Amino acid sequence: MIKIMADSTCDLSQEILEKYNIGVAPLNVEIGDKTYKDKIDITPDRFFELLPTLQELPSTSMPSPEEYLSIIDEAMTEGYDKFLIICMSSGTSGSYQSAEIAKEYFFDRHPDSDVQIHVVDSLSMSHGSGWLIMKSAQLLQEGYDFDQLVRFNEENKRRVKHYLCVDDLNNLIKSGRLTNASAFIGKLLRVKPIMTMKKSKGAIVAKERGWNKVLRYYVTEFMKRVDRDQTNFIIIGYTSDIHIAHALRDKIKQDTDFEGDIYIMQMGVAVGTHVGLGGLSMFFMEK
């Protein structure tokens, strides 16, 4: 039996995690003198309420190898013997390295085991890895075996397209994603930076003035880039404002002929720490 695993930055909803029985290793989030497990000890809604009151940006740390091992050990008691672990980009988090260490620990402890473990560096952030995880879970239900799932992930992970825009630039400034000067200009002109993933890290690819133009950019780029054979669903992510996520969903339905599912899911605490308030993202597979 095949078990799909992730770290909590995949930001998939609890409904989806339960539907596909996905094991999740939580990141740690330090807020002041307290440490929370992402989405376990503190909810995203509570975190985004708290965020504007904080004097310092929270810090995040990767799951420990033992977090991954505990999921593997429990799943083995249920009959699982193959594990596909899909992690946040190694360029932005240590989750991938921690999962690789967990794999080493497992075989040190069980040198004669027939268990198979493969760790994927998704090269993605947030629902980017979440998109790959959901697609893998669907393919598993369609009958893909372990080797086919591994091959699909390694061959296609670079094609999961990300777009991210933020309403509030403060957290991006504090986390070093934008310079103070560029952010100041952006605030004066009401310019919103749009980011994507390049070489496993975030990079600004466009700047638009106002949300209407941001939504238009998202939809235009989607129509130019989407792989219609692979993209049977889109994930729209948000941090604190679900209404803008609904507006993007409605624009996709109105302005395109896309007939697949459109999921709206909130970003978690670990990702939201760096994205901040007013974040809006979109994920699909490009040609």
Side-chain angles (χ1 to χ4, degrees):
M1 289 172 53
I2 300 170
K3 178 80 169 180
I4 298 175
M5 294 171 52
D7 63 65
S8 63
T9 66
C10 71
D11 288 341
L12 293 173
S13 67
Q14 191 62 34
E15 178 185 4
I16 292 296
L17 294 175
E18 291 176 0
K19 177 179 179 179
Y20 295 116
N21 195 24
I22 296 164
V24 178
L27 269 73
N28 301 302
V29 182
E30 293 185 13
I31 304 175
D33 59 354
K34 294 184 179 180
T35 300
Y36 302 88
K37 289 192 179 297
D38 187 15
K39 296 184 181 177
I40 296 176
D41 300 327
I42 184 170
T43 65
D45 281 334
R46 174 57 183 148
F47 173 74
F48 292 119
E49 287 178 6
L50 189 63
L51 189 57
T53 70
L54 301 178
Q55 297 299 313
E56 295 184 2
L57 191 68
S59 61
T60 60
S61 59
M62 61 189 178
S64 69
E66 293 298 333
E67 295 274 10
Y68 290 106
L69 287 171
S70 65
I71 297 171
I72 292 172
D73 288 342
E74 181 177 352
M76 286 177 63
T77 65
E78 300 170 0
Y80 291 93
D81 58 355
K82 297 177 179 65
F83 297 90
L84 180 66
I85 309 175
I86 303 174
C87 299
M88 184 180 186
S89 172
S90 62
T92 56
S93 169
S95 295
Y96 170 76
Q97 288 84 355
S98 184
E100 284 285 11
I101 292 170
K103 177 180 175 180
E104 292 180 14
Y105 285 175
F106 178 85
F107 289 111
D108 284 345
R109 298 173 186 177
H110 309 282
D112 299 322
S113 176
D114 293 328
V115 164
Q116 292 179 263
I117 302 173
H118 183 84
V119 184
V120 178
D121 179 356
S122 72
L123 306 178
S124 295
M125 295 178 65
S126 187
H127 297 111
S129 63
W131 196 98
L132 203 56
I133 291 160
M134 272 188 69
K135 187 69 174 182
S136 297
Q138 292 176 354
L139 293 174
L140 176 59
Q141 288 190 341
E142 291 174 13
Y144 272 47
D145 64 24
F146 188 70
D147 290 340
Q148 288 174 313
L149 288 176
V150 168
R151 187 161 56 250
F152 173 84
N153 277 271
E154 297 299 346
E155 290 179 354
N156 294 290
K157 62 187 182 182
R158 289 172 176 81
R159 296 202 292 130
V160 178
K161 191 63 182 174
H162 303 53
Y163 286 112
L164 169 67
C165 186
V166 294
D167 191 35
D168 183 344
L169 296 170
N170 288 326
N171 283 52
L172 287 170
I173 299 168
K174 293 176 183 177
S175 60
R177 268 57 174 184
L178 287 176
T179 66
N180 286 312
S182 67
F184 179 69
I185 293 170
K187 287 183 176 180
L188 282 180
L189 301 179
R190 300 180 64 83
V191 169
K192 297 183 184 298
I194 298 173
M195 291 153 275
T196 191
M197 292 294 286
K198 290 188 176 180
K199 297 181 179 179
S200 77
K201 293 187 178 181
I204 295 176
V205 291
K207 295 179 182 178
E208 297 288 350
R209 299 181 73 176
W211 278 116
N212 286 337
K213 290 186 177 180
V214 170
L215 300 186
R216 186 187 308 159
Y217 179 91
Y218 276 29
V219 171
T220 300
E221 289 297 302
F222 170 74
M223 291 300 291
K224 287 195 302 187
R225 296 176 178 273
V226 63
D227 182 330
R228 292 180 178 270
D229 291 332
Q230 293 285 8
T231 303
N232 59 312
F233 65 93
I234 297 168
I235 298 179
I236 295 172
Y238 72 98
T239 54
S240 55
D241 186 357
I242 195 171
H243 299 97
I244 193 67
H246 287 160
L248 176 56
R249 178 198 60 196
D250 294 345
K251 189 167 183 62
I252 293 169
K253 289 183 175 181
Q254 175 182 324
D255 294 354
T256 79
D257 59 353
F258 181 70
E259 297 181 350
D261 294 320
I262 302 175
Y263 295 93
I264 294 177
M265 302 184 198
Q266 190 171 27
M267 298 179 214
V269 176
V271 171
T273 293
H274 301 288
V275 173
L277 302 177
L280 177 71
S281 56
M282 178 179 181
F283 304 86
F284 57 92
M285 184 168 283
E286 65 179 341
K287 300 173 187 175

